[in-house]
Structures are given as structure tokens and as C-alpha cells.
Amino acid sequence: MRDVARLAQVSVATVSAVVNSKQGVRPVLVNRVQDAMKALDYHPDQVARSLKVRRTTTIGVVIPEFASGFFMEVARGIEDTARPAGYSVLLCNSNDDLAQEERHLSVLFSRRVDGILLASTDPYSMGRRPFRPNVPIVLFDRVPPGYTGPAVVVDNRGAAYHAAKYLISLGHTRIALIAGRVDLSTGIERSDGFREAMEEAGLPVRAEFVKQGSFKAEGGYQAGLELLQMRDRPTAIFSVNSKMTLGLFKAIQELNVCCPDDVSLLGFDDLVLTEGFSFGELLKPELTVIAQPAYRIGCQATEMLLGILVRPRDGDPTGEASIARLKTELYIRHSVAPPASARN
Amino acid sequence: MRDVARLAQVSVATVSAVVNSKQGVRPVLVNRVQDAMKALDYHPDQVARSLKVRRTTTIGVVIPEFASGFFMEVARGIEDTARPAGYSVLLCNSNDDLAQEERHLSVLFSRRVDGILLASTDPYSMGRRPFRPNVPIVLFDRVPPGYTGPAVVVDNRGAAYHAAKYLISLGHTRIALIAGRVDLSTGIERSDGFREAMEEAGLPVRAEFVKQGSFKAEGGYQAGLELLQMRDRPTAIFSVNSKMTLGLFKAIQELNVCCPDDVSLLGFDDLVLTEGFSFGELLKPELTVIAQPAYRIGCQATEMLLGILVRPRDGDPTGEASIARLKTELYIRHSVAPPASARN
DNA sequence: CTGAAAGCGCTTACAG
DNA sequence: CTGAAAGCGCTTACAG
């Protein structure tokens, strides 16, 4: 920069001004500076700038896994909205491990990210975590009950409620649930919504019909095996995330159970591949699922964070209103049908 | 930091020394400093450090897409090897758009990343790109022919060669190819390997049996539709990436063609979901594919880059030897069978 | 409109 | 073993 200033015969302050396209610099000088920059192949140093302005225009995001269609869509949404705003994103994978998550967070803080987007593997501990008071953080996907900070999630309870309702409306009464992690809002709310619909319909939620799948493919697979081998098995199964659904699907295949004739399958979260291609549509039968607006979640969480970053910080007390709850959609395909009893 | 120094009654140099756990500081002072850090909730500022040491311990990686099982596995590999080495990764999505890629690269440079990992959407232009002379870059997945810089790729040609060979060994003679982008090494080499095997077997590669799928699901779908509706259709189809394979699969389903009885399908790249769960195994029939060591590609590319970063830079002239070519593996499942003619 | 100077928070020779 | 000082490459009041 000094070299540029010297070559252009101006002060570094002037160079700085043209680099940041501040107005009020004489055109002649602007040109001289630009020529000098070109001649010297000068590229401004963001890190020096960051040090001075105390802002890195970087946001840190930590998600529980990379190999997830859902979180990758969210990540796309984040990047697509952060980039145009001039922000870079440091994407970290906690691998659903709290220690890893904290380690990531701490390097993000030391790298002075301006804000953080987090899908915590343990949102309940948020309160007692050592966050930095002046770097805003917005949660997404998972949020502890009663959390009042900024967050964007999906209406899990409502979605599960409607899913169960749908199965019930078809005549199912023996409906099983493959539940997710009970320590995550997503898992809890989805189970709750399911239970609510069942209760409302006066249907029992049999203990042996609810299996813990922990959001893992293997869990869904095991649960499926157990459920389908019961003498008095369910006529429909609601699986509360996509990995478990796939595990369940595998169990169905292995056991040669016919879906949807023998058992209906309703999953949470669609498996999109590319625009217009969902894995759910490639399977036999095509999967009926509740689809989450993953990309939008990413966009909105980022917008929320960016909003906080520009606002005077002491403006709003990040009230109750700051948690956005997006709608899901039920994609009716072919894995759900009325139970055999209702078909005769 | 000054505050810490003052509270601990030492100089900032000493604080710096304990922060970086340099040895040779009197234990008493170490303790005093650590206590002071705790008391003041002091956290070292990486960006200031970076400015001084002229190193950010950050690597930039740009991949052509987020919503890709392959690239996400690579990303996992990258993160998993970069993190333990103390490096953060700035992950960018070029969306297979050259302009976007260059924009990302330029912000990565301005943020002073120490090195770059790139799966370029146009590796051929590498030579005339405005890279920074002193930030090393290692390519992966795609590499222009004749490229001599560091890179890690897969033995595409060999993999395709063996895949075709496998189909031929089963008795197939009318084998179609759904080719990928012809301007990418991956696309070219896979087609070449296929052709080589065919020639070697004295089999014609009929012009109407090779379709351009451009590595896209839609392309595979269209190609499939055309191929399968020929009066004299192929008995086997080799699809050169996973998206096209899925598109092709959809076409097969829609047309109600029986696979593998009527047509065999061999794909490139497996679709892993989670450890132990591949999408390819969930489809009917389960897909026979060439699997790439995606995670390993990420690890190795990162190791290579890290290696360059520690080495004296003027050490080796990044010779020919620096391009690593990993092996693939053929996963034989159920979408390939001998042609009907050979079965009778 | 432009320049000289201070300073962002660190590290690193250099003395002592 | 430790401290004082310079400097990394910028930006930003502050004069002029």
C-alpha cells in the first residue's frame, strides 16, 4: 500500500479512500492510484483491515454433519445469502459432538467472526455456555424450549401433528412412531405433535409402538426390524427424520414386507438430490414425507443474523418475536395407503 | 492483552510467550499470567496475530456444489485433516460457475488464506488465471491434462476401463455410455477408459449409443429416455456420474424397463448416506457402481497442501510426482446382469 | 480534498 | 529469563 501511494504520489490515506471507493477523491488521483495498484499487482489485505475496523465480515456456522442433505441445503442457503452481503462463511462440522462443537465455537471466536449460526448438538446448555457477549448468535433447526434469542426453526409439532392426522384419516389406528433424540427440540416436538394427534383421535400410543431411533439410520433400521416382526404389528409407521426413514426402509425391504399394502410409511424430511430430483421419488414405493424448507431456513437464519449485525445492537432486546417458525409441507407419494382393514 | 500484562505485572511480550506456550518463562509468571487471563476473560485475537505472523492458518476450498454426496465427503475429509493441524477452512460453493469461482478465489486471497484446495469448474484455464504466486493451491477431482502441479484425483480412466471390461465379460456387446462434461478431466477420462475397453474387445462404440449427460440428473434422465426407446436398444448402460445415474434410473422406472433383465446399469460414484448406508443399496435393483474414495481424496489433498505449507517452499519444484491418483472400487450389486442373449 | 500520525492487538528481534 | 520498541497493513479522526 505504501508502495502504491508512493508510485501514485499520494498518501496512503488516499489509497485507502479509493480502495474503499469513498467519494470525494479527485478523479485524477483515483486514476493514478488505480494505475499504480494495477502496476504493482496490489491487493488490499482484509486481515489488516479487519484488525483496524474490528469486523471480519465473516460468519461462523457450525452444523452437526456434512453428509446430510438437510444441513447441506441449509448451508447453501446460508452461503447464498451471506455472499451477496459481503460475508464469508466458516463452515464447521460438530459431528454431533458437544466437545467438538465447543472447540469450533472457540476457534470461531478467536478468529473474530462477526456472528454465529448454530445448530447445536446440545441447545439446552446454551445458557451456561461461554459465549462472547458481543458476537450475536442465531440458532437454527434446534432450539431449547423457552429460548428467547433469535432462531429459525420449523413447525415440528404442527408438522408431526398433521402427519399423524393424515394417517388417522386414512383409517390407521395402530400407528408406530420412530422417535428421534429426546434431548433435541426437533425430536421432542415431533413426538409431541404425533401424540397430540393420536390423543385427539382417542387412539392409544402403545408403548411397544414407540421406538427410539436417535435420528440415526441404524436406529431406524433396528426399530423397523422390531416393529415389523411383532405378531400384532402396526399398520403405519411415522419416522421422524430422513436417516431413520431410510433405515426403516431397508428393514422393510429385508423383511420383504410390502409397503404400503402391509405397512404405511411416513417420513420426516425429504431427500432432495438436485433441483427436481428427490431420492424419495426413486424408491419403490416413492416415499410420502414431510418436507422441510431447508434452503429457506439457511437464508432466513442468515438474514436474521445480518440484521442484528447492522442494527445498533442495543436497539431491540431480541425479544420473543425473534424466533421464526417456518412451515413444512406434506408430499403425498406412494408409501402411505389406507390399512388393509379399511380397504376391504 | 495490555490489561493482562498489567494485571499480571509482566510485559506483553511475556503474555504473548505464555499464550503461545513458549518455554522459558518462569512458572510463577506463567501462573500469574494465566490467572490474569482468566480474571479478565481474555481471548487472544487471531486476526491480530495473523497480521503479524503473515499466516492465517486458514485454507480456502472451493467446490462446485454443496448438495453433492461426493463433494461433501471430500469436504469432511478436508475438515477432518485440517482441524487437527490447526487450520480452519473457508468452504465455498462455485455452483459450477466460473465467474463465481473466481470471485470466491479472489475473496479467499484477500482474506489471506494460506493455501487453496480447488475443484475447478474450468481447470483448463488454470494457466491464465490470476493466482497469487505465493499461495499454494492443490487441485482435486478435476485436473487439466498435462497439469504438473499438486493434485489428487482418482484413476478415472482405469475405473471406467474396468467397468466396461466387466460389462463385456458378462457378454454385453451393445453398451451405451452416458458421458459427462467433455471439458472436464473426469468426463474425458471416464469416456476414454470406456472406449479403450470397447476397442480392446473389438466392440464398436456406436455413435447413437453415446449420450452427453453433462453430469446432471436431468441429462441422465433424458439420455436414458432416448436410449431405452430405441428399437435396437443397448443391453447395458454405463453412466459416468451419480446424478446422471439417478436420472437414468428414473427413466428406467418411468419406462417400466426391467433392470437388470432388460438393461444393465453401471454407475460411477456410489451414493453414501451415512456409514454403512448407501442409497445405491436402497434402490430396486441395488445399484452396481464404481465407488470413489471421496473422504480420502479430501484428506490427501489437505495433507498435500499442508505439506507444501510447512516445507521451505523453494524445496521441491512441485514436480510431476505431486499428482496423486487414488484407486476406485467396483461395488457389484444387482443392477448388472448378463444380457438376455447370454442367459438363454 | 489530502496528508501526517496514531493505533487496531499481536509478535519478534534486540537489549539487558 | 524478561522488557521496551518496532512494525504487520490497514483506517480514521484531525489538521490544513
Side-chain angles (χ1 to χ4, degrees):
Chain A
M1 188 168 189
R2 267 209 330 263
D3 300 336
V4 174
R6 195 176 309 140
L7 181 56
Q9 306 189 68
V10 298
S11 73
V12 293
T14 304
V15 175
S16 173
V18 352
V19 165
N20 296 294
S21 37
K22 292 235 167 69
Q23 47 191 24
V25 181
R26 233 187 322 159
V28 212
L29 293 193
V30 174
N31 284 330
R32 271 207 333 248
V33 170
Q34 286 174 339
D35 290 347
M37 294 200 304
K38 223 138 278 170
L40 266 42
D41 193 34
Y42 165 78
H43 299 277
D45 186 324
Q46 272 301 326
V47 1
R49 170 169 228 283
S50 294
L51 177 60
K52 185 62 194 172
V53 303
R54 321 203 53 53
R55 214 157 35 83
T56 53
T57 51
T58 300
I59 67 185
V61 4
V62 6
I63 58 179
E65 49 173 333
F66 273 14
S68 154
F70 174 74
F71 285 113
M72 272 309 126
E73 276 300 290
V74 175
R76 265 189 57 226
I78 292 172
E79 235 233 3
D80 285 355
T81 114
R83 186 177 6 85
Y87 283 78
S88 291
V89 1
L90 237 16
L91 187 60
C92 307
N93 177 8
S94 73
N95 210 18
D96 251 326
D97 171 18
L98 185 57
Q100 188 70 267
E101 177 179 313
E102 310 235 89
R103 237 170 291 140
H104 272 132
L105 251 14
S106 117
V107 346
L108 290 176
F109 286 130
S110 79
R111 284 173 185 279
R112 294 293 183 264
V113 294
D114 294 340
I116 285 184
L117 255 26
L118 170 66
S120 178
T121 195
D122 181 14
Y124 291 90
S125 64
M126 293 307 286
R128 39 202 156 73
R129 297 274 203 85
F131 290 124
R132 297 293 192 286
N134 39 16
V135 7
I137 156 168
V138 358
L139 300 185
F140 63 93
D141 187 53
R142 306 136 175 218
V143 153
Y147 179 79
T148 57
V152 9
V153 297
V154 122
D155 179 18
N156 290 297
R157 168 184 272 271
Y161 173 83
H162 283 109
K165 209 87 178 137
Y166 172 62
L167 293 172
I168 294 167
S169 75
L170 255 29
H172 289 282
T173 56
R174 303 215 312 284
I175 308 177
L177 171 73
I178 302 187
R181 281 178 52 183
V182 293
D183 57 342
L184 247 30
S185 59
T186 43
I188 298 168
E189 293 171 9
R190 292 173 196 173
S191 290
D192 285 355
F194 171 80
R195 288 199 154 83
E196 194 178 324
M198 293 291 275
E199 258 168 45
E200 200 176 290
L203 257 24
V205 176
R206 301 211 235 154
E208 68 271 31
F209 276 5
V210 0
K211 299 289 182 193
Q212 237 42 65
S214 315
F215 282 151
K216 291 197 281 225
E218 184 61 25
Y221 174 70
Q222 290 301 340
L225 251 31
E226 294 171 24
L227 249 17
L228 296 169
Q229 292 180 122
M230 289 178 165
R231 24 1 350 146
D232 193 25
R233 74 180 175 205
T235 60
I237 303 178
F238 177 38
S239 161
V240 125
N241 89 336
S242 60
K243 286 189 167 174
M244 298 194 302
T245 304
L246 261 1
L248 167 59
F249 189 86
K250 187 176 175 189
I252 290 176
Q253 277 193 172
E254 276 189 20
L255 258 27
N256 247 302
V257 174
C258 192
C259 172
D261 294 348
D262 297 338
V263 65
S264 284
L265 191 171
L266 179 60
F268 205 106
D269 202 14
D270 195 24
L271 294 147
V272 336
L273 222 215
T274 323
E275 321 76 282
F277 277 78
S278 160
F279 268 113
E281 296 176 331
L282 258 22
L283 298 177
K284 270 242 140 37
E286 297 182 24
L287 261 32
T288 290
V289 298
I290 291 164
Q292 302 192 72
Y295 184 79
R296 286 257 66 234
I297 291 175
C299 296
Q300 205 148 325
T302 309
E303 284 161 9
M304 199 175 273
L305 182 59
L306 261 25
I308 297 174
L309 290 178
V310 302
R311 218 168 299 134
R313 189 158 88 74
D314 41 22
D316 69 325
T318 51
E320 210 79 24
S322 59
I323 151 157
R325 203 169 279 277
L326 306 187
K327 286 261 156 288
T328 57
E329 211 171 324
L330 180 62
Y331 288 175
I332 297 185
R333 294 201 278 242
H334 309 307
S335 66
V336 172
S341 58
R343 259 176 275 146
N344 307 336
Chain B
M1 189 166 189
R2 267 209 331 262
D3 300 336
V4 174
R6 194 177 310 142
L7 181 58
Q9 307 188 68
V10 297
S11 73
V12 294
T14 306
V15 175
S16 173
V18 353
V19 164
N20 297 295
S21 36
K22 292 237 166 70
Q23 48 190 26
V25 181
R26 232 187 322 157
V28 212
L29 294 193
V30 174
N31 284 331
R32 262 189 5 229
V33 171
Q34 285 174 340
D35 290 347
M37 295 200 305
K38 223 139 276 169
L40 266 41
D41 193 34
Y42 165 78
H43 300 277
D45 186 323
Q46 274 299 328
V47 359
R49 170 169 227 283
S50 295
L51 178 60
K52 186 61 193 172
V53 304
R54 322 203 53 53
R55 215 157 34 87
T56 53
T57 51
T58 300
I59 68 184
V61 3
V62 5
I63 58 179
E65 50 174 332
F66 273 13
S68 153
F70 174 74
F71 285 112
M72 273 308 127
E73 276 301 290
V74 175
R76 265 189 57 227
I78 292 172
E79 235 233 2
D80 284 355
T81 114
R83 186 179 5 85
Y87 283 77
S88 290
V89 1
L90 237 15
L91 186 61
C92 307
N93 177 8
S94 73
N95 210 19
D96 252 324
D97 170 17
L98 185 56
Q100 188 71 267
E101 177 180 312
E102 309 236 89
R103 238 171 289 141
H104 273 132
L105 252 13
S106 117
V107 347
L108 290 175
F109 286 131
S110 78
R111 285 174 184 279
R112 295 293 184 263
V113 295
D114 294 341
I116 285 186
L117 256 25
L118 171 66
S120 178
T121 195
D122 181 12
Y124 291 90
S125 63
M126 293 307 285
R128 38 200 158 74
R129 297 274 203 88
F131 290 123
R132 296 293 193 287
N134 38 17
V135 6
I137 156 168
V138 358
L139 300 185
F140 63 93
D141 188 53
R142 307 139 174 216
V143 152
Y147 179 80
T148 56
V152 10
V153 297
V154 122
D155 179 19
N156 290 296
R157 166 184 274 271
Y161 173 83
H162 284 108
K165 208 90 176 134
Y166 172 61
L167 293 173
I168 294 167
S169 75
L170 255 29
H172 288 282
T173 55
R174 301 215 313 283
I175 308 177
L177 171 72
I178 302 187
R181 280 177 52 182
V182 293
D183 57 342
L184 247 31
S185 59
T186 43
I188 297 169
E189 293 171 10
R190 291 172 197 173
S191 290
D192 284 355
F194 171 80
R195 287 200 154 83
E196 193 178 324
M198 292 291 276
E199 258 168 46
E200 200 175 292
L203 255 26
V205 176
R206 300 211 236 155
E208 69 272 31
F209 276 5
V210 359
K211 299 289 181 190
Q212 236 43 66
S214 316
F215 282 150
K216 290 197 281 222
E218 184 60 26
Y221 174 70
Q222 289 302 340
L225 251 31
E226 294 171 25
L227 249 18
L228 296 169
Q229 292 180 120
M230 288 178 166
R231 44 306 52 120
D232 193 27
R233 72 181 177 204
T235 59
I237 303 178
F238 177 38
S239 161
V240 126
N241 90 335
S242 60
K243 287 189 165 175
M244 298 194 303
T245 304
L246 260 2
L248 168 60
F249 189 85
K250 187 177 176 189
I252 290 176
Q253 278 193 170
E254 276 189 20
L255 259 26
N256 247 301
V257 174
C258 193
C259 170
D261 294 348
D262 297 338
V263 66
S264 283
L265 191 171
L266 180 59
F268 205 106
D269 202 14
D270 194 24
L271 293 148
V272 336
L273 223 214
T274 323
E275 323 75 283
F277 277 78
S278 160
F279 267 112
E281 296 177 331
L282 259 22
L283 298 177
K284 267 247 139 33
E286 298 182 24
L287 262 31
T288 291
V289 298
I290 292 164
Q292 301 192 71
Y295 184 80
R296 285 257 67 234
I297 291 175
C299 296
Q300 205 148 325
T302 309
E303 285 162 9
M304 199 175 272
L305 182 59
L306 261 26
I308 297 174
L309 290 178
V310 302
R311 216 167 302 135
R313 189 158 90 70
D314 40 23
D316 69 323
T318 51
E320 210 80 22
S322 59
I323 150 157
R325 202 169 279 276
L326 306 187
K327 287 259 156 288
T328 56
E329 211 172 323
L330 180 62
Y331 287 175
I332 296 185
R333 294 201 277 243
H334 309 307
S335 66
V336 171
S341 57
R343 260 176 275 147
N344 306 337

